Amino acid sequence: MAGRADSTVLAGARVVLPTGTVENGRVIVEGTRIAGSAHEGAQTVDLTGHWVVPGFVDMHNHGGGGASFTSGTVDEVLTGVRTHREHGTTTLVASTVTGEMDFLAQRAGILSELVEQGDLAGIHFEGPFISPCRKGAHSEKLLRHPDPAEVRKLMDAARGTAKMFTLATELPGGIESVRLLAEHGVIAAIGHTDATYEQTVEAIDAGATVATHLFNAMPPLAHREPGPIAALLEDERITVELIDDGTHLHPAALELAYRHAGAARVALITDAMDAAGFGDGQYQLGPLAVEVKEGVARLVEGGSIAGSTLTLDTAFRRAVTLDRIPVDDVVQSISANPARLLGVYDKVGSLEPGKDADLVVLDEGFTLKGVMRKGDWVIEPHLG
């Protein structure tokens, strides 16, 4: 690990900018930010043969490094944050899972302090306002309808740091809750839902803007009952989350989403749980027991997929090398789009002067070699 150089020029790499990829490009870092020009005597790092891309932004993540954002101590949460940071995620939203309302309010208080300290970018409440028909790895006995008063309780507990709620908007109170969230600038995400096509359209018209892990935990696309998938893919107001880990989605489903929604409406996420960056074994996801085998997390009881063990550097490499998605499109989906949704694109999500010096160095095969956050090397590239 290395500290900050006051002035550093990263030279010779393919640099992915909002306008496209620049061959033999330069990124100039001054203190914690990207600069437009370098001071005399700036240190130069030769990154010939490498890529420099913006730091990744993960808007749906439950933990990592053996630590849970839903139940871990502050130190454990920070362990999870560091684990994902070492895999290129320089901006991260902590996602909770279904629990008792008082417990979730308490967790919101703890996590909000880490947002205020700058360690997290916000809180995402996934559950308890979801459908028992599509509960996935959530405890059915703790599920409840999305009562706007209870949604407001969690918003208040988060003290302005709540960024997103995943809701089954077809349930009683769903549409009213969407309107409440939209009025307060919080993302209403449709997910873990059994909604029809028409009910999904109604929720979008009410202000929903995100599809939580599209295809997963919702009715499949059918020719007479197109369900939520068709409504979410066709509407320009919706950004669709995709988990590119080889388990949650068939490559054809991922391609369908990219072709129909376009890169500007895709957010690549991890939906990671504790085992991300840690390994196989026995875990807890909220109150439910999870077993991770060969990197796939499933509930011990019932076998439902229980989040992922994905990190975004793996998602990036897979998207480019296996799914053949253009690098510029992947950068848009993994950095710029989630940053815009979270309201932090003025600071992160692209390599532009004035923004935080958050970036990832990848080799020609798109394997991570370096990570910088706010001008500090989290992982310093060793290029010899």
Side-chain angles (χ1 to χ4, degrees), residues 25-377:
R26 298 197 313 165
V27 178
I28 300 164
V29 178
E30 293 283 349
T32 64
R33 298 186 183 277
I34 297 169
S37 60
H39 289 300
E40 187 177 346
Q43 174 191 358
T44 297
V45 179
D46 184 4
L47 293 177
T48 301
H50 290 74
W51 293 81
V52 176
V53 302
F56 308 144
V57 180
D58 194 353
M59 57 188 284
H60 187 156
N61 187 315
H62 297 278
S68 166
F69 297 150
T70 298
S71 58
T73 64
V74 168
D75 285 345
E76 287 169 343
V77 172
L78 291 174
T79 294
V81 171
R82 282 192 296 271
T83 297
H84 285 284
R85 203 170 282 173
E86 288 168 0
H87 289 273
T89 298
T90 50
T91 302
L92 184 149
V93 170
S95 302
T96 63
V97 297
T98 294
E100 296 282 2
M101 284 294 296
D102 288 344
F103 174 76
L104 290 173
Q106 178 192 38
R107 291 303 299 176
I110 294 168
L111 294 171
S112 66
E113 293 181 10
L114 296 177
V115 178
E116 290 159 3
Q117 290 173 198
D119 296 299
L120 295 170
I123 303 170
H124 163 216
F125 293 97
E126 187 179 22
F129 310 117
I130 61 176
S131 172
C133 303
R134 305 286 174 178
K135 64 182 183 298
H138 291 256
S139 173
E140 183 168 352
K141 67 181 181 181
L142 296 175
L143 300 182
R144 46 211 303 136
H145 292 160
D147 179 348
E150 294 196 321
V151 171
R152 184 61 185 260
K153 175 180 177 177
L154 293 183
M155 287 173 55
D156 290 345
R159 303 199 303 266
T161 66
K163 289 290 187 179
M164 183 163 67
F165 280 72
T166 292
L167 309 170
T169 53
E170 75 278 9
L171 295 176
I175 297 300
E176 293 81 3
S177 294
V178 169
R179 292 194 181 108
L180 172 69
L181 292 167
E183 287 168 7
H184 287 83
V186 179
I187 296 166
I190 301 171
H192 288 276
T193 175
D194 203 40
T196 64
Y197 174 89
E198 291 77 12
Q199 288 171 326
T200 306
V201 169
E202 183 184 8
I204 297 169
D205 287 341
T209 55
V210 167
T212 293
H213 43 54
L214 186 73
F215 298 108
N216 295 108
M218 59 183 64
L221 185 65
H223 63 294
R224 290 194 184 95
E225 296 180 5
I229 293 171
L232 295 163
L233 278 177
E234 73 183 10
D235 199 300
E236 295 293 325
R237 294 170 289 183
I238 292 291
T239 298
V240 297
E241 294 183 345
L242 299 176
I243 309 169
D244 192 4
D245 63 349
T247 298
H248 281 78
L249 295 175
H250 188 283
L254 186 99
E255 182 182 11
L256 173 68
Y258 261 98
R259 279 181 180 273
H260 202 78
R265 288 180 46 220
V266 171
L268 291 175
I269 61 162
T270 61
D271 193 17
M273 47 80 73
D274 313 17
F278 200 68
D280 290 357
Q282 304 291 322
Y283 295 89
Q284 289 289 127
L285 190 60
L288 303 178
V290 175
E291 184 174 17
V292 178
K293 282 185 179 179
E294 298 179 354
V296 178
R298 292 187 180 276
L299 291 183
V300 171
E301 186 175 334
S304 290
I305 295 175
S308 85
T309 62
L310 186 64
T311 52
L312 281 181
D313 59 328
T314 298
F316 191 109
R317 185 171 64 252
R318 182 181 177 89
V320 173
T321 61
L322 295 178
D323 303 313
R324 305 296 181 185
I325 300 168
V327 174
D328 291 6
D329 288 353
V330 176
V331 167
Q332 191 173 8
S333 300
I334 212 166
S335 299
N337 296 345
R340 286 193 185 96
L341 283 166
L342 296 171
V344 294
Y345 189 67
D346 60 326
K347 301 182 180 70
V348 300
S350 65
L351 301 176
E352 297 178 86
K355 291 193 174 185
D356 290 349
D358 289 4
L359 56 88
V360 176
V361 179
L362 305 166
D363 68 13
E364 289 182 332
F366 300 98
T367 296
L368 184 144
K369 293 296 179 182
V371 180
M372 178 182 282
R373 183 174 187 270
K374 294 189 176 180
D376 281 329
W377 287 114

